[in-house]
């Protein structure tokens, strides 16, 4: 659960910080191996870069590389924070006397960081290539022509659903947990629930006895179900409408 929660938390943050990554990438590539004053500065500062990218490349360009960025954050932070959390829960960060060891903490953090960075490095490279792509008049650095999905591909819709699914599952999973438990609770002879009085009572009892993580049980399954379920539902709906109109006219 540490791995999953860490990865999902990082993905949620990435949706909001990815535009800054795009700006950072382009500013770092600007003037590569050129003396100051010998090249055209397309991006004078952070705010100017935001405005320029949005104006020339379009607002959507501020989210370039989001798909690999999400995968990178999920993998890197899931491994980094998850590994550290695992070491902490197993008692590896404490001495034999039970006190927290700064040396053990530093070693565990360094090892977890190295593992996350090593495994995430190839994805980070793809992310950088995509974020550097720009219109010719504001292009900086080498311009790779990667394209994750062909235009109008069903994969685009699936990826979009998986990205938007992060916010949905974070907001809705506690209510989903509560409704599942309400439906599954034992009842008396009149059909009245014996464990919960209603959804608010179920939420409060779960949070009080199991903590915040108890309210997010099954979040991994919820997340990976949401994207395919949405796409398949819309796909089947569209195909059924097509067949209906085809054979009823």
């Amino acid at each position: 659960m540490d791995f999953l929660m860490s990865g999902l938390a990082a993905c949620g943050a990435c949706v909001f910080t990815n535009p800054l990554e795009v700006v950072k990438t382009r500013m770092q590539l600007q003037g590569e191996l050129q003396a100051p004053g010998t090249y055209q500065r397309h991006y004078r500062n952070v705010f100017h870069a935001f405005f320029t990218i949005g104006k020339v490349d379009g607002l959507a360009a501020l989210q370039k590389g989001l798909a690999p960025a999400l995968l990178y954050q999920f993998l890197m932070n899931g491994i980094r924070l998850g590994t550290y959390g695992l070491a902490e829960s197993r008692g590896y960060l404490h001495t034999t006397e039970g006190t927290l060891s700064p040396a053990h903490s530093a070693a565990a953090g360094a090892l977890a960081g190295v593992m996350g960075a090593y495994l995430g490095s190839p994805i980070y490279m793809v992310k950088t290539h995509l974020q550097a792509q720009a219109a010719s008049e504001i292009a900086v650095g080498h311009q790779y022509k990667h394209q994750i999905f062909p235009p109008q591909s069903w994969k685009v819709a699936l990826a979009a659903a998986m990205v938007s699914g992060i916010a949905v599952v974070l907001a809705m999973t506690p209510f989903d947990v509560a409704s599942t438990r309400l439906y599954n609770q034992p009842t008396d002879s009149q059909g009245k629930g014996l464990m919960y009085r209603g959804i608010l009572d179920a939420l409060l009892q779960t949070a009080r006895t199991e903590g915040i993580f108890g309210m997010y049980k099954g979040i991994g399954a919820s997340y990976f179900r949401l994207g395919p379920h949405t796409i398949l539902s819309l796909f089947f709906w569209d195909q059924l409408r097509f067949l209906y109109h085809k054979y009823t006219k």
Side-chain angles (χ1 to χ4, degrees), residues 6-236:
S6 301
L8 288 176
C11 286
C14 180
V15 174
F16 298 98
T17 60
N18 190 62
L20 289 167
E21 274 287 307
V22 174
V23 169
K24 175 187 74 70
T25 297
R26 297 198 184 183
M27 293 189 74
Q28 289 177 339
L29 291 173
Q30 183 171 241
E32 184 176 9
L33 297 181
Q34 299 179 61
T38 63
Y39 59 89
Q40 182 179 0
R41 292 183 63 193
H42 299 299
Y43 313 108
R44 294 194 294 270
N45 52 55
V46 173
F47 303 105
H48 181 256
F50 265 107
F51 176 79
T52 302
I53 294 170
K55 179 182 178 181
V56 179
D57 284 342
L59 292 177
L62 290 168
Q63 286 289 12
K64 279 195 171 182
L66 180 60
L70 288 170
L71 182 58
Y72 171 75
Q73 290 293 335
F74 185 85
L75 182 64
M76 186 192 70
N77 285 290
I79 292 174
R80 186 173 62 180
L81 300 179
T83 301
Y84 186 85
L86 183 63
E88 183 179 32
S89 64
R90 295 291 179 86
Y92 297 142
L93 307 185
H94 295 78
T95 63
T96 53
E97 290 80 20
T99 59
L100 183 66
S101 170
H104 291 181
S105 297
L111 179 61
V114 168
M115 290 173 58
Y118 179 78
L119 294 174
S121 181
I123 306 169
Y124 194 93
M125 182 181 71
V126 175
K127 176 189 75 72
T128 301
H129 289 179
L130 292 173
Q131 291 176 339
Q133 288 179 354
S136 58
E137 58 264 38
I138 60 169
V140 293
H142 184 75
Q143 294 291 292
Y144 287 92
K145 301 301 179 183
H146 297 309
Q147 188 176 42
I148 299 180
F149 303 126
Q152 307 302 321
S153 171
W154 62 270
K155 297 177 183 178
V156 176
L158 177 60
M162 298 303 286
V163 171
S164 63
I166 295 172
V168 175
V169 297
L170 288 176
M172 296 304 299
T173 295
F175 298 98
D176 195 25
V177 170
S179 66
T180 298
R181 295 184 175 188
L182 283 168
Y183 282 126
N184 194 59
Q185 69 175 325
T187 59
D188 59 19
S189 57
Q190 280 76 43
K192 185 178 180 180
L194 298 176
M195 297 178 67
Y196 311 107
R197 294 189 300 273
I199 190 168
L200 291 179
D201 183 51
L203 287 169
L204 288 173
Q205 286 199 56
T206 300
R208 190 181 300 118
T209 57
E210 300 177 51
I212 187 66
F213 293 118
M215 300 175 68
Y216 281 92
K217 287 183 175 179
I219 189 173
S222 295
Y223 175 71
F224 288 108
R225 166 197 168 276
L226 183 67
H229 178 82
T230 302
I231 296 302
L232 289 173
S233 296
L234 293 175
F235 173 76
F236 291 141

